[in-house]
Amino acid sequence: MRKEWIAARRIVVKIGSSLLVDAINGELHAKWLNTLADDVATLRKEGKDIIVVSSGAIALGRNALKLPKGPLKLEDSQAAAAVGQIDLAHAYEAAFRERGLVAAQVLLTLGDTEQRQRYLNARNTMNTLLKLGAVPVVNENDTVATSEIRYGDNDRLAARVASMMSADCLVLLSDVDGFYTAPPGSRADAHRLDEVREITPEIEAMAGDVGSELSRGGMVTKIEAAKISVSGGTHMVIASGRVLNPLRTLAKTGVATWFLAHADPITARKRWIAGTLEPKGAFTVDAGAAAALASGKSLLPAGVTRVEGKFERGDAVVIRNGEGVEIGRGLTTYGHEEAAAIIGRKSGEIAEILGYFGRAELIHRDDMVLQRKI
Ligand code: GLU
């Protein structure tokens, strides 16, 4: 058993639709769910807090509504979710109750984690549920979430929840038993990685093409989830859910890929910044600024070579190095128009350019999280 697993006090487990719902007849895999509930009950007895993030609402609801096979229109998936979420919640409630556990349904939309006040509210409620001994079962509120305000996939939702709840570990139970250097079977040398200590451009390339529809919901979203998770201080594990008692199996066999979080804890506010799902823009910085950031300095306009996106003061933006690689995130002090006017200039010139005395830095170091190596 890995030390990270033994040490984890709070674990988020993400369960994909295909594990829970039969693709052919749309029925719930009740036996599998029961063995998962057994594992959750065991972990609860060991004193661990467990949060489940479960998909399956749309898959269950489309069957009940006799919707056609294949991709659904947004309004049909929203309707399906309204029907299927009842079955889903009921299934967890029943399986957990049989094992002396109390299930609590939590439905979130993007705004609940992206807006600071709502984020704090959601976190408080979930902390209260855990304190009272319940097991939160989280899903996206698909019925009200239109395309602009959707997480869209439960991998990123789960990572956001894990970092919001300061979880020690996030388990993504998946069709595959880990992260492979290439799609299994596609190349003779494709193999599973046991652990990933840094999410490098090479690792991202292994996940496949971001632009390809096929890779959505696959490894690309899992890597996005891993970035959110590890930068918030939560280890992330991809493990097989295609076995009964998937959590016990993970603990026993260790067959999985671990994305390891940085050892040094970060503040809750920084965790929120690091996990932003929808940054509104990006600053590209020169080598001097990148080095200054790495040594703990704020980002000054002088070191920025490019501004992208439309954002307001206070919005989350990405920081990229000259090669276009993301090196961090932060909350910008200036909107995109002011930022574009002052980049490349000395802080002392800001007042003259903008016509008022603004702050000297584009992103203050207290509002910034860098992707660090372990
Ligand atoms: N929230 C969706 C559902 O419950 C699934 C999204 C996903 O699987 O990533 O059906």
Side-chain angles (χ1 to χ4, degrees), residues 54-337:
S54 182
S55 308
I58 296 171
L60 287 168
R62 68 184 298 159
N63 184 47
L65 290 173
K66 303 197 172 45
L67 287 164
K69 296 252 176 288
L72 292 178
K73 286 187 289 196
L74 180 62
E75 59 268 31
D76 285 344
S77 38
Q78 291 183 300
V83 172
Q85 185 61 35
I86 299 178
D87 289 339
L88 190 64
H90 178 73
Y92 278 102
E93 194 278 330
F96 282 0
R97 184 159 35 84
E98 271 175 36
R99 290 156 183 87
L101 302 172
V102 179
Q105 175 179 260
V106 179
L107 298 179
L108 297 174
T109 50
L110 195 62
D112 294 321
T113 56
E114 301 309 272
Q115 289 168 26
R116 179 93 179 132
Q117 198 50 49
R118 285 166 64 185
Y119 173 92
L120 296 175
N121 289 342
R123 192 175 67 177
N124 276 347
T125 307
M126 298 249 271
N127 269 326
T128 306
L129 285 167
L130 291 171
K131 210 161 60 199
L132 295 172
V135 180
V137 179
V138 183
N139 196 359
E140 178 157 22
N141 195 348
D142 291 306
T143 301
V144 299
T146 52
S147 45
E148 314 79 70
I149 56 156
R150 297 193 79 215
Y151 297 98
D153 65 85
N154 277 7
D155 290 330
R156 293 187 316 152
L157 168 64
R160 197 61 168 128
V161 166
S163 111
M164 173 169 90
M165 299 310 294
S166 308
D168 303 296
C169 184
L170 162 65
V171 184
L172 300 183
L173 291 179
S174 166
D175 288 352
V176 284
D177 59 8
F179 182 76
Y180 281 74
T181 52
S186 73
R187 288 167 49 158
D189 61 352
H191 62 280
R192 184 179 52 77
L193 298 175
D194 280 333
E195 57 178 49
V196 174
R197 289 182 166 267
E198 199 195 339
I199 301 166
T200 58
E202 290 73 38
I203 293 285
E204 293 200 54
M206 289 172 192
D209 181 5
V210 191
S212 130
E213 259 313 299
L214 279 179
S215 56
R216 296 308 295 180
M219 285 302 155
V220 174
T221 62
K222 290 189 171 49
I223 291 294
E224 284 175 27
K227 284 195 212 164
I228 296 167
S229 192
V230 299
S231 56
T234 302
H235 303 301
M236 189 186 98
V237 198
I238 300 176
S240 174
R242 288 241 169 271
V243 288
L244 297 177
N245 296 103
L247 298 174
R248 195 177 71 192
T249 309
L250 163 67
K252 226 167 54 186
T253 66
V255 176
T257 302
W258 282 78
F259 292 81
L260 296 171
H262 314 289
D264 45 338
I266 61 171
T267 64
R269 179 178 152 75
K270 289 209 172 188
R271 195 175 296 123
W272 174 67
I273 295 170
T276 328
L277 292 178
E278 310 250 296
K280 295 284 190 297
F283 292 139
T284 302
V285 304
D286 62 23
L293 298 185
S295 71
K297 301 263 179 11
S298 294
L299 178 63
L300 300 179
V304 177
T305 55
R306 190 164 175 218
V307 178
E308 287 162 82
K310 288 204 172 11
F311 49 83
E312 316 258 328
R313 172 189 167 82
D315 281 343
V317 294
V318 166
I319 307 169
R320 295 204 185 104
N321 67 14
E323 282 91 60
V325 176
E326 176 172 339
I327 55 170
R329 288 178 180 206
L331 305 181
T332 171
T333 314
Y334 290 97
H336 64 101
E337 281 166 356

